Amino acid sequence: MKAVVFDRHGTPDELHLADMERPHPGPGEVRVRVRAAGIQPFDVGVRGGSLPFPVTFPQQLGNEFSGVVDRVGDDAGEWAAGDEVLGWAFMRSLAEYVVTGADSIVSKPPDMPWDVAGGLSSSGATAYTALRVLDIRPRDTLLVHAAAGGTGTIATQLARAWGASVIGTASEANHAYLAQLGATPVSYGDGLVERVRAVAPDGVDAALDAVGGQALHDSVDLVRDKNRIATLVDHELADELGVVGVRAQRVPEQLGDLVSLYQRGALRMPIRERFPLAAIADAHRLVETGHGRGKVVVTLDD
Ligand SMILES: NC(=O)c1ccc[n+]([C@@H]2O[C@H](COP(=O)([O-])OP(=O)(O)OC[C@H]3O[C@@H](n4cnc5c(N)ncnc54)[C@H](OP(=O)(O)O)[C@@H]3O)[C@@H](O)[C@H]2O)c1
């Protein structure tokens, strides 16, 4: 099979396709023929070497996928060849085939496109984990920093589905998009605290930060309860300020919840751009800009 690998840290040009043996599913595992796989800032950081994550060269990449089960190991539950699924496989999803745990996939509804399914599980798990940590409830007002990105897009819609109001930060180009998701858009940067106060005269109950630095300081100015301020990115500053650092937990029931929300029309995930597997370097370049809405995905042929 073809798989995305890199042989040393560096620019997106270090990424290339390698021929590898198809992996075999062991007990409790399934093999999936991948149809789409999302790209995350995490992948970009690991490739570039800015994230201190242990790698073994040639190193595969990619954490989320959609596809069709093509082999089932012993004791892998009810899964059968031909099942259409989405799920997780850490550091190996950008490949034609991926092996993962039978509890790391959920069924893909027929009306969910492959690319949407392929980019849903990692941002979905992050948003779900963070909103649970923040204990988001009906009538809360939640501030989501970087609300137009992959994680923010899901966090915004999930919070709305749970009955909260959302104020989302984004560049002006993404304000209409945030309004469509049900958030009140606010521009990030200097003066954010005043702009948020102007649209939330009754205050902000919780904040989810996917930016770090000043966005986290601003959150502390806006939210009284430090247990209801969470960052996905700035764990050092979180310790300093006494707020919560969050790392995504991958829970199949939660991914199932997100799929149900999608089926009810309460969740959508726009695709920023699709790339063929061979154009993985371009996909990384786009994610690396740090701007845009929804998800960047790689798609593979049937
Ligand atoms: N802890 C974890 O487990 C975990 C899991 C997933 C992600 N993360 C981290 O969370 C961050 C976001 O991930 P993502 O997948 O959502 O990224 P993404 O899809 O690349 O989105 C990035 C977003 O950031 C916005 N942005 C850029 N500069 C900003 C600023 N100064 N203030 C506010 N927003 C700004 C952009 O909006 P505009 O286009 O409008 O500028 C864009 O929509 C990344 O750093 C990622 O590594 C952590």
Side-chain angles (χ1 to χ4, degrees):
M1 70 167 188
K2 301 275 186 222
V4 170
V5 300
F6 63 114
D7 302 316
R8 58 181 181 184
H9 293 294
T11 69
D13 294 329
E14 299 298 339
L15 299 169
H16 61 96
L17 295 187
D19 288 310
M20 299 181 75
E21 291 230 355
R22 283 184 198 177
H24 291 282
E29 293 180 331
V30 297
R31 185 170 75 188
V32 175
R33 181 170 175 116
V34 176
R35 293 295 307 272
I39 315 292
Q40 298 177 270
F42 174 83
D43 304 338
V44 167
V46 171
R47 185 218 72 231
S50 62
L51 280 181
F53 188 84
V55 294
T56 307
F57 298 123
Q59 177 64 54
Q60 285 189 251
L61 273 178
N63 301 328
E64 57 184 353
F65 63 87
S66 60
V68 182
V69 173
D70 93 315
R71 255 188 206 205
V72 179
D74 294 336
D75 303 320
E78 303 289 306
W79 296 113
D83 288 346
E84 298 188 349
V85 299
L86 64 152
W88 306 283
F90 199 54
M91 300 290 283
R92 59 186 187 282
S93 295
L94 282 162
E96 289 177 328
Y97 291 86
V98 67
V99 162
T100 197
D103 58 355
S104 298
I105 52 174
V106 302
S107 291
K108 182 188 84 64
D111 63 346
M112 180 184 276
W114 290 111
D115 49 12
V116 171
L120 191 63
S121 65
S122 290
S123 298
T126 307
Y128 213 118
T129 305
L131 263 53
R132 278 276 185 254
V133 166
L134 289 170
D135 190 21
I136 295 304
R137 313 161 212 148
R139 288 177 295 287
D140 273 342
T141 296
L142 169 68
L143 172 64
V144 178
H145 296 276
T151 305
T153 289
I154 296 190
T156 295
Q157 294 173 92
L158 197 53
R160 296 290 292 131
W162 290 354
S165 300
V166 176
I167 298 164
T169 74
S171 62
E172 210 148 308
N174 286 323
H175 281 197
Y177 168 69
L178 290 191
Q180 282 166 18
L181 296 183
T184 302
V186 169
S187 294
Y188 51 73
D190 288 349
L192 177 65
V193 170
E194 290 68 32
R195 285 192 293 280
V196 171
R197 286 200 175 120
V199 296
D202 296 332
V204 177
D205 302 298
L208 171 56
D209 164 51
V211 181
Q214 191 57 44
L216 202 47
H217 285 289
D218 289 348
S219 300
V220 171
D221 283 350
L222 287 161
V223 178
R224 197 175 322 128
D225 182 352
K226 288 189 176 181
N227 291 320
R228 302 198 76 199
I229 302 173
T231 181
L232 301 172
V233 293
D234 208 338
H235 296 271
E236 216 171 289
L237 185 57
D239 288 345
E240 211 177 288
L241 296 175
V243 303
V244 187
V246 169
R247 289 192 169 78
Q249 305 292 315
R250 291 170 165 79
V251 181
E253 290 75 17
Q254 295 180 352
L255 183 55
D257 265 8
L258 293 172
V259 169
S260 301
L261 276 181
Y262 179 88
Q263 286 181 291
R264 294 208 305 271
L267 182 77
R268 64 196 192 95
M269 176 52 91
I271 304 302
R272 199 177 307 172
E273 203 164 327
R274 298 164 188 78
F275 295 88
L277 194 61
I280 181 65
D282 291 331
H284 268 228
R285 283 186 197 99
L286 184 55
V287 172
E288 216 159 37
T289 65
H291 298 283
R293 64 186 75 152
K295 288 289 289 201
V296 176
V297 294
V298 159
T299 56
L300 291 87
D301 291 335
D302 190 1

